[in-house]
Every structure is written in C-alpha cells, then in structure tokens.
Amino acid sequence: MKEKKLWGGRFDAPPSSLMIRIGESISFDKELYSHDIEGSISHSRMLKRIGILSESEQRKIETGLIQIKKEIDSGKFEFKIENEDIHMSVESRLTELLGDLGKKLHTGRSRNDQVSQDVRLYIKSEVEAILVLLADLLSAWIGKAEAHTKTIIPGYTHLQIAQPIRASHYFLSHFWANVRDFEDFLDVYERADELVLGSGALAGVNYATDREFLRKDLALSRISENSIDAVSQRDHIFKFLFAASQFMIHVSRFCEEIILYTSQEFSYFKLPDHLTTGSSIMPQKKNPDVAELIRGKTGRVIGSLTHLLVMVKGTPLSYNRDFQEDKLPLFDTVKQIKLSIEGVRDMVLGIQVFPENALRSLRLGFSTATDLADWLVSAKGIPFRSAHEIVGELVKHCSAKGYDLFNIPSGERGQIHAVLTDPGYEAAISLETSCDKKDVMGGTSFLRQKEQIKRAKAKVNELTKKLKSIESKGKK
Ligand code: ARG
C-alpha cells in the first residue's frame, strides 16, 4: 500500500507530483527545526499536564524529539519532500521512532498555530543574535569617533562641500541611526514575544489547553487574545522586515560614502586590503566590494519587505496557504542583515582617515565661507545680507584666479572690500575655529564631541542592559 499523508484519511488518491512540488516547504522551513521541536516539547508537557499523555508517554516523546533534534543538528536526518514541511517531517520521524505514540503529539494543535509559534520563536532568537552584532557595531562607531575628535573633514549638503566637521561627529551621526535600529529591533522582539499555541486551526481547540503553562514553558511574555487573529496575522514579520530595511537603508548611505571617500578624487578614507578586491584586468584597482555589496543587498531586503506586505494584502482571515511563502523573505533577510552588520562593523574598524586629503577639499570647497560672513556680521557690524554678498564675491574671485580663502593675497582681498584685509580674517576662516564655534549640544565643537562620546557610551550601556535582560529572559 502506498504510504498515506499524515492528513490523508479523507483522500482516495495521493497528491500529484505537481501538488507535492508546489506544496512543499521543507526545502526552506527546515530552518525552523529547533524551534519546532522546542514548541513540540512544551506542547507535550502541557498534554501531560491536562491528562492526555501519561508521564511515561510524555517522557518518551520528549526523548524522541531531542533525538530528532540531534539527528538534524548532525546532518543525519533525511528530509523527504513527501513530508511537506518541517512540522510533518518531525512528527513522522517521531512516529517512526515511537509508533502510535508519536501520533498523539498533534492532539489539540494545528499546523496553523504551530507554524506561527515557530516563526515567533525563530524571530526572537534571531533578533537576539542581531542585537549582539549591532551592539558590537555601536562600539565600533564609538571607537572610531574617539580616535578622530581632532580630525576635520568636509560636511556636505547636496554633496557639495558645506562646512567643516569633526570626523568624530561624522562617525557618531551613523552611530545614532544604528541606535534607532537597535531600539526598533528590540520592539520587534517584543512584538514576536507571544504565545499563539492553543489557537488551533483558527477557532481554538477542543481540549483544556493550558496556555499559561505553555507561555511560561516557552518563556513568552504574553498570550494572544484572539485565536483567529493569532493564526492570520504576520505583523511580527512585517516589523522585522521593516526594521531590517531601515537598517539597510541607513548603512547603504554609509556604504555610498565609503565608496566615494575611498575613490581617488576624494581619498579621505582607505579600506584595509582584506575588505577590498582587485580587478582581473586592471592591475591598479582596489575595489570597495563590501560597501557595494551591502548597498546592493539593501534592494534585496526592501524587496523582502515588499514581498511580505503584498503577499498578505487582501487575504481573507484566517490562515491561507499563501502564508507558507512568508519564510523565504524572512530567512533571507536574517542572513543578509547579519552579514551586513558584520561588514559595516569591519569597515568601521578598518577605515583609515587621511586628514590632509580632507583638508585639500575643505580649502577647495571654501568650507568656512559662512564663518567669514558671520565674522563680518559679529566683528564688523555688517548686515548679514551684505556680508553674504561680500564673501560671495570673494569666492567668485578666488575661483576665477585659482585661489582658496587661505592663499588669496591680502591685496586682492582688499579689492573686493577693505574689511577683508583686517587681521581678524585668518582666524575667521580657520577650520578649527569654525568647528569649535558650533558649541551647541549635538554640534561639532571639540568639547561637544567629547560630551557626545560620553553620551554615546551611556546609550550603549543602556542598550546592553536591555540586551542582557532579554538574554536572561530567553533562558529557561
Ligand atoms: N507549511 C505550512 C506553512 O508554512 C504549515 C501550515 C499548513 N497549514 C495548512 N492548513 N495547510 O504555512
């Protein structure tokens, strides 16, 4: 007799080859195995508690499930496409091991609540791992900032040189974006931290399932309120993919800056050899591939978010088979985001800064023109609009003659306006002074940089505490 499906009772014919090939998810959802087994162990303990399994039956089931986990861990487990998904693969192996007893495990449970639970457990554990990596990245930013409170580089708007900034300020600007990412991933963790088992297929179950017991046993913080909603919604995945997309967008901007700043025209930064590649034809090349790949992966991650949103849109409640496809974008994003965090961290740690090249651009870009105008206002009593005009003419003259604000002779300045020959001119265009005058909270002055590094460290301490607390909560 042909082997029957676990759900094959009411069928006369087995599924076609197409049905098997289109329906299988084992090729990707095996990723969930440890969480599936964890959920099943708790479920079996709960079944014992409510008198459906005897103590020895439960023990055998738990031992069998642990053995299956070891088989999968070690790569010995044989996944069969006929078993459709990870849930049925584990259950059918359990039945192989325990005979009819294995068939008792699915009492009071549906794959609809099971898969939703597995994914929540998976997200929790992956978010924990992501937060560990992110904490590392945050420390890398701070380390780089501390090494460069004195270094001055150009700050841009419209990719036109705008004003001098401390390099520490620049590194910390990316740090704070990643702090928000960290906090958003904490929110993802909270969102996923819910017990949905007991929801059954959609309506609840015909057994006295002890959901509070399951909640505690799985170290979850709350129980879903509505069984229909519990098996229908994928908000925890949306939220994960959004947090991931936001992180990728943040770091794609840094990657773009790395690509620009390591190019010959800028040369502010250099990446270490181990993070770059050569060209098979052009011997002189050193390409910033890590930065480019992460920039490229950003599209992939945003695509995953779009994939999921569109997949769920307009589907009627509750579960629909479409949802089986939710795992592909999720798993892929987990991998891409981890790689990307590590990649950014290594670039941050490895960047070498070349202040002399930054200085060349700062001069070329007339980066202290605003400071000069402000000095005309404050020291010389010239109205701002007129000061703007005078400095504008000075810049025009310099550009035409190939000067910058630092090397234009005093006599030529005097032709534009007598006030520009004042001895205060030099100090007014100084890069250091320009930075240090931005002495507002959050500004680029040296002292504010020192202050901001302290604040950044305090933030990392606060976030590390939160991470520790979820790490200890996760441990049963
Ligand atoms: N493999 C399925 C999924 O990932 C499990 C749930 C199947 N439920 C069902 N009613 N066929 O969504």
Side-chain angles (χ1 to χ4, degrees), residues 25 29 85 87 111-112 115 319 321 323-324 327:
S25 54
D29 69 11
D85 58 23
H87 325 291
R111 275 185 294 156
N112 296 355
V115 70
Y319 175 85
R321 190 65 183 273
F323 299 172
Q324 178 162 294
K327 289 156 214 76

Side-chain angles (χ1 to χ4, degrees), residues 25-198:
S25 54
I26 190 60
S27 55
F28 52 92
D29 69 11
K30 54 180 175 234
E31 184 96 23
L32 292 172
Y33 77 94
S34 61
H35 306 292
D36 191 69
I37 289 172
E38 184 191 357
S40 286
I41 289 175
S42 290
H43 182 66
S44 73
R45 289 176 186 162
M46 189 281 296
L47 290 177
K48 181 191 87 182
R49 197 178 153 78
I50 64 171
I52 289 171
L53 293 176
S54 72
E55 183 146 4
S56 82
E57 284 178 325
Q58 191 281 328
R59 207 175 317 116
K60 281 184 198 143
I61 288 180
E62 183 159 339
T63 311
L65 288 168
I66 292 169
Q67 179 187 327
I68 295 170
K69 176 164 185 305
K70 285 192 188 131
E71 289 173 4
I72 303 179
D73 282 340
S74 67
K76 279 194 207 114
F77 190 95
E78 197 199 333
F79 290 104
K80 299 187 197 116
I81 193 176
E82 294 72 24
N83 282 328
E84 242 179 80
D85 58 23
I86 186 61
H87 325 291
M88 298 213 287
S89 300
V90 171
E91 195 186 320
S92 78
R93 176 69 183 133
L94 191 69
T95 305
E96 250 171 55
L97 291 172
L98 305 180
D100 274 356
L101 174 56
K103 298 183 183 170
K104 287 194 176 180
L105 176 64
H106 209 54
T107 315
R109 188 174 72 171
S110 154
R111 275 185 294 156
N112 296 355
D113 56 356
Q114 189 179 354
V115 70
S116 168
Q117 193 66 66
D118 290 0
V119 170
R120 286 159 184 275
L121 296 173
Y122 168 87
I123 289 181
K124 280 184 66 183
S125 85
E126 290 299 339
V127 166
E128 203 179 302
I130 287 167
L131 291 174
V132 171
L133 290 171
L134 275 177
D136 233 26
L137 171 57
L138 294 179
S139 301
W141 285 123
I142 294 180
K144 212 62 192 180
E146 274 190 299
H148 288 288
T149 48
K150 287 256 161 82
T151 312
I152 298 179
I153 58 171
Y156 291 84
T157 64
H158 315 265
L159 196 57
Q160 303 285 320
I161 291 178
Q163 293 182 323
I165 53 172
R166 301 272 177 197
S168 50
H169 200 196
Y170 166 74
F171 290 122
L172 288 181
S173 67
H174 286 295
F175 164 88
W176 285 105
N178 291 158
V179 163
R180 292 192 296 279
D181 295 324
F182 190 106
E183 291 175 339
D184 289 352
F185 274 111
L186 281 172
D187 290 347
V188 175
Y189 184 94
E190 296 277 304
R191 170 65 78 231
D193 196 12
E194 185 167 89
L195 178 88
V196 292
L197 288 178

Side-chain angles (χ1 to χ4, degrees), residues 173-239:
S173 67
H174 286 295
F175 164 88
W176 285 105
N178 291 158
V179 163
R180 292 192 296 279
D181 295 324
F182 190 106
E183 291 175 339
D184 289 352
F185 274 111
L186 281 172
D187 290 347
V188 175
Y189 184 94
E190 296 277 304
R191 170 65 78 231
D193 196 12
E194 185 167 89
L195 178 88
V196 292
L197 288 178
S199 301
L202 80 157
V205 290
N206 295 334
Y207 299 85
T209 290
D210 186 340
R211 301 191 75 198
E212 177 55 22
F213 173 87
L214 284 168
R215 183 196 68 75
K216 275 212 200 99
D217 206 52
L218 288 168
L220 295 160
S221 69
R222 51 177 200 281
I223 299 177
S224 61
E225 297 283 346
N226 180 304
S227 62
I228 304 169
D229 177 49
V231 299
S232 304
Q233 62 114 331
R234 294 293 183 265
D235 295 3
H236 42 295
I237 313 184
F238 293 162
K239 216 172 162 71

Side-chain angles (χ1 to χ4, degrees), residues 40 63 96 109 125 157 163 217 258 285 320 335 344 350-351 371 379 381-382 406 422 424 438-439 445 452:
S40 286
T63 311
E96 250 171 55
R109 188 174 72 171
S125 85
T157 64
Q163 293 182 323
D217 206 52
I258 289 274
K285 294 278 277 182
N320 301 278
K335 286 191 195 95
V344 175
I351 294 173
D371 301 284
I382 298 175
F406 295 87
D422 188 285
K438 312 289 184 311
D439 189 27
S445 82
Q452 284 160 37

